[in-house]
Amino acid sequence: MATFLYRLGRFSFRKRHFVALFWVALLALAGAGAAGAPAAGNSSFSIPGTEAQKAFDLLDERFPGASADGATARVVFKAPDGQKMTDPGNKAAVQDTVDELSGGTEVAQVTDPYQGGGVSQDGTIAYSSVTYKVPGMELEESSREALKAAAEDARDSGLTVEIGGDALQAIPETGSAEIIGIGIAAVVLVITLGSLLAAGLPLLTAIVGVGIGVATITALASTLDLGSTTSILASMIGLAVGIDYALFVVSRYRAELAEGREREEAAGRAVGTAGSAVVFAGLTVVIALVGLSVVNIPMLTKMGIAAAGTVAVAVLIALTLIPAVLGYAGRRVRPAGEKSKLLGGGRAKDKADRPNMGTRWASFVVRRPLAVLLLGIVGLGAAAVPAGSLELGLPDDGSQPTSTTQRRAYDLLSDGFGPGFNGPLVVVVDAQGSDDPQAVFQQAGDEIKALDNVVNVAPAAPNEAGDTATIAVIPDAKPSSVATEDLVHDIRAVGADIKDGTGAEVLVTGATAMNIDVSQKLNDALVPYLVLVVGLAFLLLIVVFRSILVPLKAALGFLLSVLAALGAVVAVYQWGWLSGLMGVEETGPIMSMMPIFMVGVVFGLAMDYEVFLVTRIREAHVHGEKPSQAVVTGFRYSARVVTAAAVIMIAVFSGFIGSSDSMVKMIGFGLAIAVLFDAFVVRMAIVPAVLALLGAKAWWLPKWLDRALPNVDVEGESLAAHDSAAGKDDEDKELVRA
């Protein structure tokens, strides 16, 4: 592989006009597709194989035209102090609002609070439910504006009016913090590479890669039902790995220049060595992201594949566009150790022979490996303690900032009708095979009423055929509570008994039941996902490092860092530690997708640092150095770059903490803290300590396995042979001339 990538690097350097034109054309093509595509909305959410989804599909089949998947809104009214919603003036204002909303072309139904039991017992709060004919992502902007205008008209009459539901769900915004993250990345690149131009190359190429990836996602969003969150997560991961991969290639290029090689040769060798590590590091990230499809939640699968595609683009850009741009830069990109005049280059080096920070740190670790190892494990173990209290759920309007109308509507409904009113359960009774469907409907309603934690059970509402009915159940507790989850299981147990006695099927659905089912599905999939992803990556790393213990150590170190990161997420977003600093307005359960998504993404990124750091160590060991000295040598050449890459990734991920979307905010924090733990504790401390303790045994591989494995040559040994052959040819030519 090293030889192929070496040739690719030299080709890209020589044919830089062609390579640059290709990527610019690809960016323009993707941009044109995105410009002409419909705007991305919120991806439709389905969870195949769950009871909630089965009931939802049954509603679509048995209640045609009921817009079961249509957008919904709850317009909540509160009377001024000292008044009631039943006062004539307030009642007239509400009636005007209902009439105004009913005129919308996309509106399927609007309920009258005074006819449908939509007024609270104390008479101060009322609500009207609006159901639309189309899903939220397909709702026209004119319908949203009409909803807002109707609420504003009601406010003019003196009422407090707020709107909940998914009809007003906005596309997430990442805020200015993302730009700050990129700014920090730029500063780190300048410090690391010693040149403004060299620092600009990784940023430029990463932005091109993310632009192509996000524009492609935007162009296909409507066709493939990709939500707006998909492009945000793809840009988050693509930007971070794009900068890192480019940084590794540029750094290696400067190191090759420092050894006296010509620029085209240096570009070829940089792609042949660092590029090999980029390929395998990128492959681990892609495996982890594509592996999310094993969960069988379409939205999560699409997010993973879209992000994996952006990572693949980042790898290809690092292998081709980076050497091409280095060809354009020429002598303005200086050899390693040299800085531009603007940054202090050309001054006398009084400390030229002093070991760098990476060398000093590695020397310290190999002298005291056991102490460093124990300290790292204990520290991560302490950070992981809160993960034992992990509670999972999916965000609803109750997790929105208090400044939003959705959150204020949620709070008003909780005050007027109880906390469970925001998470009604929909029980679907399929009595098609029953002799007396009406009796079954009555039995189901009566048995559900007798359960604990039930506030209200509405009368059964049968369809036209009379063989299927829906029963609305209002729990006593809020949607994300353990009590509500227990109630869902209790209703399903009642349904099983009814099925045994009558043959009728009782199913529970609704947003709350969907959240419970998806959390369970994610929990069930976590172990198989770990086995698949870690197993495949373990095999891949055996091929890369030609060792059993080094990949095993890499996997165990990852588990430590991801558990510690989950502990930090629980401490901030569930317990409320540092919540003000992180902009967390409402603590609560951790998003259900968070553990499995973090496992996938963090594993891929953790293997990035493992590959870049340990390949340098193995390279030194292969070339004859003793194990402890190889660790020091590896850190001398790679610690600075890996540290810079980690800081950049942390900065980019941290930028998404400023997002308006609670899911994106939580993922940004989780990934940033995970990279912090993995890069600076696991890879920079635990890895060298373990390698120092194992010594030569770290590189042990059974002879039969050594013969069976392909030689991928990440260290570039074939390039060394290429140098020897080139040198011999030069000697032969000299002899001929003589």
Side-chain angles (χ1 to χ4, degrees):
M1 175 180 284
T3 303
F4 168 76
L5 293 178
Y6 165 78
R7 291 171 181 162
L8 179 62
R10 294 195 62 167
F11 170 83
S12 300
F13 188 94
R14 282 197 312 274
K15 305 292 184 180
R16 48 188 170 272
H17 301 313
F18 168 77
V19 173
L21 183 62
F22 169 80
W23 285 109
V24 169
L26 198 58
L27 178 61
L29 184 64
N42 298 296
S43 177
S44 58
F45 191 78
S46 64
I47 38 177
T50 61
E51 180 174 318
Q53 187 64 45
K54 184 179 178 182
F56 188 82
D57 295 339
L58 187 64
L59 284 174
D60 262 353
E61 177 190 335
R62 303 286 174 83
F63 291 82
S67 304
D69 62 343
T72 59
R74 272 180 172 174
V75 183
V76 187
F77 308 89
K78 183 180 180 183
D81 291 342
Q83 298 182 25
K84 292 186 180 293
M85 289 305 304
T86 50
D87 294 346
N90 294 335
K91 195 171 181 178
V94 171
Q95 191 61 57
D96 289 343
T97 304
V98 170
D99 293 342
E100 186 176 349
L101 289 170
S102 300
T105 56
E106 292 184 314
V107 174
Q109 183 183 14
V110 182
T111 63
D112 186 332
Y114 303 99
Q115 295 179 4
V119 181
S120 63
Q121 284 187 350
D122 64 2
T124 60
I125 295 173
Y127 75 93
S128 173
S129 293
V130 185
T131 305
Y132 291 87
K133 299 174 184 176
V134 296
M137 64 176 295
E138 298 175 15
L139 201 62
E140 292 183 2
E141 191 59 34
S142 59
S143 295
R144 292 192 176 94
E145 292 302 323
L147 181 61
K148 294 176 186 176
E152 195 58 45
D153 290 343
R155 289 189 188 106
D156 292 341
S157 68
L159 296 173
T160 298
V161 185
E162 305 296 348
I163 306 171
D166 63 354
L168 288 187
Q169 198 163 8
I171 294 176
E173 298 176 358
T174 53
S176 59
E178 183 185 356
I179 299 172
I180 296 172
I182 295 175
I184 294 173
V187 172
V188 173
L189 286 169
V190 170
I191 295 172
T192 305
L193 298 176
S195 162
L196 291 174
L197 179 64
L201 297 184
L203 277 176
L204 173 65
T205 55
I207 290 171
V208 169
V210 169
I212 292 171
V214 172
T216 303
I217 291 169
T218 304
L220 299 175
S222 180
T223 305
L224 301 181
D225 189 22
L226 304 176
S228 54
T229 307
T230 303
S231 60
I232 292 177
L233 295 176
S235 67
M236 179 195 300
I237 296 169
L239 190 62
V241 300
I243 294 174
D244 279 7
Y245 294 166
L247 170 62
F248 286 119
V249 174
V250 172
S251 298
R252 188 62 186 247
Y253 171 76
R254 296 178 69 235
E256 297 295 337
L257 289 179
E259 293 183 11
R261 290 188 172 85
E262 293 296 324
R263 294 186 177 274
E264 183 180 327
E265 176 69 13
R269 290 185 65 88
V271 175
T273 51
S276 296
V278 164
V279 169
F280 282 99
L283 196 52
T284 59
V285 180
V286 169
I287 287 173
L289 291 170
V290 173
L292 290 170
S293 58
V294 303
V295 184
N296 196 27
I297 294 179
M299 186 181 78
L300 193 60
T301 300
K302 292 170 186 176
M303 286 166 57
I305 292 175
T310 308
V311 171
V313 170
V315 171
L316 293 174
I317 280 181
L319 301 179
T320 56
L321 186 57
I322 281 291
V325 176
L326 288 172
Y328 284 117
R331 297 185 179 278
R332 284 168 290 185
V333 175
R334 300 168 180 269
E338 292 186 20
K339 295 182 179 180
S340 64
K341 292 182 180 179
L342 183 63
L343 298 174
R347 296 177 187 170
K349 297 181 182 178
D350 8 340
K351 299 180 180 179
D353 297 329
R354 183 181 175 185
N356 64 17
M357 181 65 75
T359 303
R360 296 198 298 275
W361 170 248
S363 299
F364 169 79
V365 173
V366 298
R367 286 198 306 271
R368 298 173 180 83
L370 190 57
V372 172
L373 177 62
L374 291 176
L375 187 62
I377 292 175
V378 170
L380 290 178
V385 168
S389 302
L390 178 68
E391 295 177 12
L392 297 177
L394 285 178
D396 55 20
D397 284 348
S399 61
Q400 295 273 1
T402 52
S403 58
T404 62
T405 187
Q406 292 96 327
R407 172 59 187 279
R408 291 195 292 262
Y410 180 96
D411 291 340
L412 286 175
L413 288 171
S414 294
D415 294 341
F417 300 91
F421 195 79
N422 283 292
L425 304 175
V426 179
V427 178
V428 183
V429 184
D430 179 8
Q432 197 172 51
S434 173
D435 296 333
D436 189 355
Q438 192 61 45
V440 174
F441 302 155
Q442 186 65 42
Q443 179 187 354
D446 292 342
E447 293 195 23
I448 293 171
K449 279 181 187 176
L451 295 174
D452 294 334
N453 198 36
V454 174
V455 171
N456 184 51
V457 177
N463 62 350
E464 288 186 11
D467 58 5
T468 307
T470 60
I471 302 173
V473 180
I474 306 298
D476 183 45
K478 64 180 182 178
S480 58
S481 67
V482 176
T484 300
E485 183 177 347
D486 291 341
L487 176 59
V488 170
H489 295 313
D490 290 343
I491 295 174
R492 286 173 175 170
V494 166
D497 294 339
I498 292 175
K499 185 174 183 180
D500 292 340
T502 66
E505 194 166 17
V506 179
L507 306 170
V508 186
T509 189
T512 302
M514 281 276 194
N515 290 353
I516 292 169
D517 284 354
V518 79
S519 296
Q520 186 62 50
K521 194 174 180 71
L522 288 164
N523 284 338
D524 293 343
L526 185 57
V527 172
Y529 175 71
L530 267 173
V531 171
L532 173 69
V533 172
V534 176
L536 286 175
F538 181 75
L539 295 175
L540 184 65
L541 292 179
I542 288 177
V543 174
V544 173
F545 296 130
R546 308 194 78 78
S547 162
I548 297 291
L549 296 179
V550 170
L552 181 61
K553 171 261 309 169
L556 293 176
F558 151 74
L559 290 176
L560 269 176
S561 59
V562 81
L563 283 173
L566 276 175
V569 170
V570 169
V572 173
Y573 289 89
Q574 188 175 308
W575 291 0
W577 294 4
L578 302 177
S579 56
L581 182 63
M582 296 299 166
V584 181
E585 295 191 26
E586 183 72 21
T587 59
I590 303 305
M591 184 187 63
S592 300
M593 295 183 187
M594 191 69 189
I596 201 162
F597 192 82
M598 274 187 62
V599 164
V601 176
V602 175
F603 182 77
L605 300 180
M607 294 307 103
D608 278 5
Y609 301 121
E610 180 75 13
V611 169
F612 289 123
L613 191 61
V614 179
T615 47
R616 267 295 198 171
I617 296 173
R618 175 171 165 74
E619 186 177 340
H621 179 68
V622 165
H623 291 140
E625 292 189 8
K626 293 181 179 179
S628 58
Q629 184 56 42
V631 171
V632 176
T633 301
F635 268 70
R636 178 188 309 142
Y637 291 113
S638 60
R640 177 185 176 93
V641 179
V642 169
T643 300
V647 172
I648 289 169
M649 200 168 279
I650 291 168
V652 172
F653 288 150
S654 297
F656 289 85
I657 297 174
S659 172
S660 61
D661 186 277
S662 58
M663 181 172 74
V664 175
K665 182 192 293 283
M666 190 182 295
I667 288 176
F669 172 79
L671 295 183
I673 199 72
V675 170
L676 176 69
F677 287 150
D678 195 85
F680 293 104
V681 181
V682 175
R683 308 303 152 191
M684 287 293 175
I686 292 178
V687 165
V690 171
L691 290 178
L693 288 170
L694 290 175
K697 296 176 184 175
W699 309 107
W700 172 79
L701 187 69
K703 291 183 180 179
W704 64 268
L705 186 56
D706 188 34
R707 290 192 297 270
L709 291 178
N711 183 13
V712 295
D713 189 24
V714 177
E715 296 82 17
E717 292 177 72
S718 58
L719 299 184
H722 170 82
D723 280 353
S724 301
K728 189 174 186 310
D729 288 345
D730 289 343
E731 290 176 11
D732 291 344
K733 289 176 184 176
E734 289 297 327
L735 287 173
V736 169
R737 290 194 192 98

